[in-house]
Amino acid sequence: MPPNDDIVFTSRATLRVPHLPPPNSHSSFSFCFRNMASQFDQSCHSIFQFIDSVKRGSKLTNFNHSIPHFWPPSLPFWGSKKITQRGNSVSRWASGSCGAMFVDKSSLICSASLSLIQSDGSNKAESGTRAEHSGRQRGMDDKSTGLVGKSSLLCSASLALARSDEGSQPSGSESKESPQKGYSAGRPDEERVLISEVLVRNKDGEELERKDLEMEVLTALKASRPNSALTVREVQEDVHRIINSGYFYSCIPVAVDTRDGIRLIFQVEPNQEFQGLVCEGANVLPAKFLEEAFRDGYGKVVNLRHLDEVISSINSWYGERGLFGRVSAVDILSGGILSLQVSEAEVNNISIRFLDKKTGEPILGNTRPDTILRQLTTKKGQVYSMLQGKRDAETVLTMGIMEDVSIIPQPAADAGKVDLLMNVVERPSGGFSAGGGLSCGTTGGAGPLAALIGSFAYSHRNLFGRNQKLHVSLERGQVDFTFRINYTDPWIEGDDKRTSRTIMVQNSRTPGTLVHGGSNLTIGRVTAGLEFNRPIRPKWSGTGGLYFQRAGARDEQGNPIIMDTIKCPLTASGNADDNMLLAKLESVYTGSGDHGSSMFVLSMEQGLPFLPEWLCFNRVNARARTGVEVGPSQFLLSLSGGHVVGKFCPHEAFAIGGTNSVRGYEEGAVGSGRSYAVGCGEISFPLFAPVEGVLFADYGTDLGSGSTVPGDPAGARMKPGSGYGYGFGIRLDSPLGPLRLEYAFNDKGAKRFHFGVGHRN
């Protein structure tokens, strides 16, 4: 977030100095420098009156006299901020720091230096017009008068002043004048003045009603103590400390000459008591946050230091959320009402610019701008958030049609608003891919094409510029075969829930060994379906679909069969193929998306018997995973389970055992049942980049449901129905995903290597 450099805390600049009726003679002002500005003349006039009053030992009164802001050095406080206080027709303004705000009213502190000369007799002594001229001063017997005459506290510019003392010398007599060196306020050898007493009073010279505020002043004082000798700088620093306490509107040091010596009085004016809050322009800042921030201040004197902390906390609230917002002004209104003005940058316009990948120059894009804009959560009229903009850029990248996305905020024509420019670089929209080879595991008797394995695919990522995807693929292996056409619209036009639609047609042949064994048995499926997916809540998504499937077993020549080698049925209907219409519902929770993050999947499939021969069953399946960091290692626990009710295909039973189930067993060797449960615990730890080690233990069971599967294929093959395995392995990060090589032992004492690509399901 940018700093609040345009906020200025201000106050009216006035100077209050003791005043007595001027003496009859005003000749001393005739010796001021002719080239000095009139502001210096006014300041010198006020200071001379104060000197005269001290020497006469008179009671002092105050009057207001404005001076320019060239004198005391500013004390940095809150940087450049603005606080205004209005009440009882008082409005205060100044610029710079709080030191300069209130110290300007001090009658003892001046920022330049003066050389004072005093002569006795009725004749007027004159001084030269240069700052380096020496003055003359008559010796005095009176201690206090002589002390004040030499005070460096009262020196304020390189000027030479002289006056006559008409009452101290007989007419016509002359006295000896001794030279008196002038002192500058900032010089290390400046003279000190003995202070006999230090008091705290209000602006009217009366005692403060609140003793706690008086203690704040006394606590702030460091140099100003009774019976101490002070310099200009020390008094100035004490005034700064009082103002920096944050409780006072102004502080005016006043010196009074008494019989016991010079009395230093700090006349302070406390801030108003906080009685209410008005906040303007805060559209996204929660009211509860403001209430909590100012709750402890109600009924108390406004402390500017605490107020600055509250303002900083408000600005931090915006900064932590990446919002373009800040407090721009603070007003203290009459009656102690605090007014906050908050500036929030609203989004004015969002535009898309397509760039060439090589040159970076603007080009015409293939994607429709509205297809990109509807992906953004940032909308016109919202307060712009950098964090939200980052998420929007990541969302556009996940569309899969962009190589690079960046969002650049720019000032809008309307004040207080921001325009967003999104630069995007498109990826190639589609293409072909193919690969193939010959398998040495197939005999020539199966035909010339039997040994051919390979794949072919065509994909288009951005149909019609709407991010719609078409994928056509053909894969052929030694045993398996898959032909698939898949069309996906990631966001149906006109839908405000981000619903996606997928149409799928597939013809596949997969090994049937998981349940029924036998190397030559395959399961053929023809599937067509329509599926809809929609986000439900953050990190939650839901899927609903309708599928038609025709499935049956085939031998190695591709002929349909209804019994396996040990006479177990392969279909539920007793026909060559089983037909089913499936309604599917699925809910998915994903954490951060990392492998170690939490995950939960619950799915249900219902067979709809629209025709008598169609299967009717209900299948429920659930998977859960969670991870815990333990130092550099990670502990991962996963559980899965399912159950089927009704009439279903035997080859659709839950197979237990293998690389993604219970390691240490072959695929499906533990059991195949109507129900199942599998648990896994893993501890992974880094070895050397990019290799990590892993220790694991798995357990699986069919919950005694193996015999309820039609034909009991698990019991016929002597599968135990439950078992466990444990072992160790290594994992290597690769462009294809993690490569897993694991060595496992099972509860039967057998050992087995497992190799896999990707994380375990």
Side-chain angles (χ1 to χ4, degrees):
M1 293 296 296
N4 298 327
D5 294 335
D6 57 341
I7 308 177
V8 181
F9 292 81
T10 62
S11 171
R12 185 180 61 182
T14 58
L15 175 67
R16 305 178 66 181
V17 297
H19 174 67
L20 280 176
N24 295 331
S25 175
H26 299 278
S27 61
S28 60
F29 289 100
S30 62
F31 301 105
C32 293
F33 288 137
R34 298 173 183 264
N35 59 347
M36 296 296 287
S38 59
Q39 296 93 329
F40 284 96
D41 295 335
Q42 296 173 0
S43 301
C44 296
H45 177 65
S46 300
I47 294 172
F48 176 77
Q49 291 176 347
F50 175 73
I51 298 172
D52 185 76
S53 64
V54 172
K55 291 182 179 180
R56 291 173 178 270
S58 305
K59 293 295 182 180
L60 303 178
T61 60
N62 292 339
F63 75 100
N64 292 334
H65 187 73
S66 298
I67 67 169
H69 288 255
F70 58 81
W71 56 282
S74 301
L75 180 67
F77 188 45
W78 283 331
S80 170
K81 296 189 178 180
K82 175 179 179 180
I83 284 190
T84 326
Q85 177 164 332
R86 297 192 294 270
N88 300 327
S89 300
V90 176
S91 179
R92 50 192 176 127
W93 298 91
S95 61
S97 63
C98 277
M101 284 167 47
F102 302 109
V103 180
D104 291 2
K105 298 184 176 184
S106 170
S107 62
L108 289 182
I109 304 175
C110 301
S111 67
S113 62
L114 282 176
S115 296
L116 305 181
I117 301 176
Q118 176 176 321
S119 63
D120 56 359
S122 59
N123 295 333
K124 297 179 179 152
E126 295 186 354
S127 66
T129 59
R130 294 182 176 83
E132 65 270 13
H133 285 187
S134 303
R136 297 178 180 272
Q137 182 173 348
R138 177 181 57 86
M140 301 179 187
D141 294 331
D142 181 76
K143 180 178 180 180
S144 64
T145 304
L147 184 59
V148 175
K150 299 180 180 180
S151 173
S152 62
L153 290 175
L154 308 177
C155 298
S156 157
S158 295
L159 299 178
L161 303 182
R163 68 174 296 275
S164 61
D165 192 346
E166 298 176 354
S168 61
Q169 292 292 342
S171 179
S173 63
E174 296 182 357
S175 64
K176 297 181 180 180
E177 297 181 355
S178 59
Q180 173 67 36
K181 182 179 180 181
Y183 291 89
S184 174
R187 290 175 53 178
D189 59 344
E190 60 181 329
E191 253 181 75
R192 296 180 176 271
V193 174
L194 181 63
I195 302 299
S196 62
E197 189 177 7
V198 178
L199 299 178
V200 180
R201 295 291 183 264
N202 62 16
K203 63 179 181 178
D204 298 323
E206 301 174 353
E207 292 188 4
L208 292 177
E209 295 180 359
R210 297 187 54 167
K211 296 302 180 182
D212 57 335
L213 295 179
E214 182 177 345
M215 288 303 300
E216 291 290 342
V217 176
L218 296 177
T219 303
L221 297 178
K222 299 300 181 183
S224 300
R225 302 292 183 183
N227 300 320
S228 60
L230 305 179
T231 65
V232 171
R233 184 179 298 277
E234 290 173 339
V235 176
Q236 178 180 348
E237 291 173 353
D238 276 345
V239 172
H240 286 173
R241 293 187 187 100
I242 294 172
I243 296 303
N244 285 348
S245 68
Y247 288 100
F248 301 100
Y249 169 70
S250 66
C251 177
I252 305 171
V254 178
V256 179
D257 187 19
T258 67
R259 180 178 301 176
D260 298 328
I262 295 180
R263 175 186 298 161
L264 181 59
I265 303 174
F266 290 94
Q267 294 185 353
V268 296
E269 184 176 356
N271 295 325
Q272 302 182 61
E273 292 185 356
F274 178 48
Q275 299 297 335
L277 175 67
V278 176
C279 186
E280 299 179 357
N283 298 320
V284 297
L285 184 66
K288 185 177 180 180
F289 180 84
L290 286 175
E291 292 175 2
E292 293 295 331
F294 288 94
R295 184 183 302 276
D296 297 336
Y298 283 98
K300 299 180 181 179
V301 173
V302 175
N303 186 300
L304 299 183
R305 295 177 65 92
H306 176 68
L307 180 59
D308 181 65
E309 294 175 358
V310 173
I311 293 173
S312 297
S313 68
I314 295 174
N315 293 337
S316 297
W317 184 91
Y318 282 100
E320 290 170 359
R321 290 154 181 80
L323 296 170
F324 275 25
R326 57 181 176 174
V327 178
S328 57
V330 182
D331 289 343
I332 305 177
L333 307 177
S334 178
I337 303 299
L338 188 64
S339 175
L340 292 182
Q341 183 65 44
V342 178
S343 297
E344 296 177 345
E346 296 182 354
V347 177
N348 179 62
N349 186 40
I350 305 176
S351 57
I352 308 296
R353 183 171 63 179
F354 296 90
L355 301 179
D356 184 81
K357 179 181 179 180
K358 296 181 179 179
T359 64
E361 296 297 327
I363 59 174
L364 293 177
N366 297 320
T367 307
R368 295 177 53 172
D370 59 315
T371 301
I372 300 175
L373 291 176
R374 67 176 181 169
Q375 300 285 340
L376 308 182
T377 57
T378 301
K379 304 298 182 183
K380 294 182 180 180
Q382 293 182 350
V383 177
Y384 179 61
S385 169
M386 292 185 294
L387 298 180
Q388 189 176 8
K390 180 180 178 181
R391 291 192 295 267
D392 286 341
E394 293 173 351
T395 300
V396 174
L397 282 175
T398 58
M399 294 170 63
I401 59 176
M402 302 296 173
E403 286 192 2
D404 186 37
V405 179
S406 61
I407 299 179
I408 304 174
Q410 298 176 333
D414 295 341
K417 295 188 177 182
V418 61
D419 288 335
L420 300 182
L421 176 62
M422 175 176 286
N423 292 325
V424 297
V425 178
E426 289 183 306
R427 298 176 60 185
S429 57
F432 293 90
S433 63
L438 295 175
S439 172
C440 61
T442 303
T443 62
L449 299 179
L452 180 63
I453 61 173
S455 64
F456 167 84
Y458 168 78
S459 62
H460 199 295
R461 304 185 183 93
N462 195 13
L463 284 174
F464 316 115
R466 296 180 179 273
N467 193 30
Q468 298 173 2
K469 296 173 172 57
L470 175 65
H471 184 78
V472 180
S473 63
L474 173 64
E475 298 178 4
R476 176 185 173 88
Q478 291 183 4
V479 178
D480 57 331
F481 167 86
T482 301
F483 174 74
R484 183 183 180 93
I485 301 175
N486 196 84
Y487 165 80
T488 301
D489 185 354
W491 191 343
I492 300 174
E493 187 173 3
D495 178 79
D496 60 348
K497 302 297 183 181
R498 301 181 70 92
T499 303
S500 67
R501 175 180 56 213
T502 300
I503 301 174
M504 179 266 294
V505 177
Q506 177 177 297
N507 183 11
S508 66
R509 186 173 68 244
T510 58
T513 57
L514 293 179
V515 175
H516 294 275
S519 59
N520 297 325
L521 178 64
T522 60
I523 305 298
R525 296 179 178 89
V526 176
T527 307
L530 175 65
E531 182 178 281
F532 296 90
N533 181 275
R534 170 184 293 181
I536 302 175
R537 298 182 59 188
K539 300 182 180 181
W540 282 92
S541 64
T543 301
L546 190 65
Y547 304 89
F548 176 81
Q549 180 174 296
R550 182 183 182 92
R554 303 288 186 271
D555 61 13
E556 57 183 351
Q557 284 79 29
N559 301 318
I561 55 176
I562 59 174
M563 294 286 182
D564 62 13
T565 56
I566 55 177
K567 305 304 179 181
C568 291
L570 295 174
T571 61
S573 63
N575 300 323
D577 296 297
D578 289 325
N579 298 322
M580 63 197 81
L581 181 66
L582 301 176
K584 177 182 178 181
L585 293 176
E586 183 178 73
S587 180
V588 179
Y589 169 84
T590 55
S592 63
D594 297 333
H595 175 60
S597 64
S598 299
M599 180 271 295
F600 177 75
V601 179
L602 177 63
S603 65
M604 182 186 71
E605 292 178 334
Q606 176 65 50
L608 304 176
F610 285 169
L611 295 178
E613 64 272 17
W614 289 5
L615 302 184
C616 178
F617 64 92
N618 181 273
R619 177 165 50 205
V620 178
N621 199 0
R623 292 182 288 124
R625 180 188 68 205
T626 186
V628 178
E629 297 286 343
V630 183
S633 303
Q634 183 182 67
F635 175 72
L636 189 67
L637 177 64
S638 61
L639 298 172
S640 62
H643 181 66
V644 181
V645 177
K647 188 178 181 180
F648 71 104
C649 301
H651 56 76
E652 296 286 350
F654 296 111
I656 308 169
T659 303
N660 290 318
S661 182
V662 179
R663 284 161 286 191
Y665 283 90
E666 294 183 8
E667 301 296 324
V670 174
S672 51
R674 185 181 290 266
S675 303
Y676 88 104
V678 173
C680 171
E682 292 183 351
I683 298 179
S684 59
F685 46 90
L687 295 177
F688 53 88
V691 179
E692 66 177 9
V694 61
L695 302 175
F696 59 85
D698 305 327
Y699 175 79
T701 176
D702 62 5
L703 301 175
S705 64
S707 59
T708 64
V709 177
D712 188 14
R717 289 167 176 78
M718 304 299 293
K719 295 182 180 180
S722 64
Y724 64 86
Y726 57 91
F728 58 90
I730 59 173
R731 293 175 183 169
L732 172 66
D733 286 336
S734 73
L736 299 177
L739 303 181
R740 300 158 45 201
L741 179 61
E742 299 159 338
Y743 188 66
F745 307 84
N746 64 23
D747 54 335
K748 307 300 182 182
K751 310 178 185 69
R752 188 175 183 85
F753 276 102
H754 293 275
F755 177 78
V757 179
H759 293 291
R760 181 179 181 273
N761 294 332

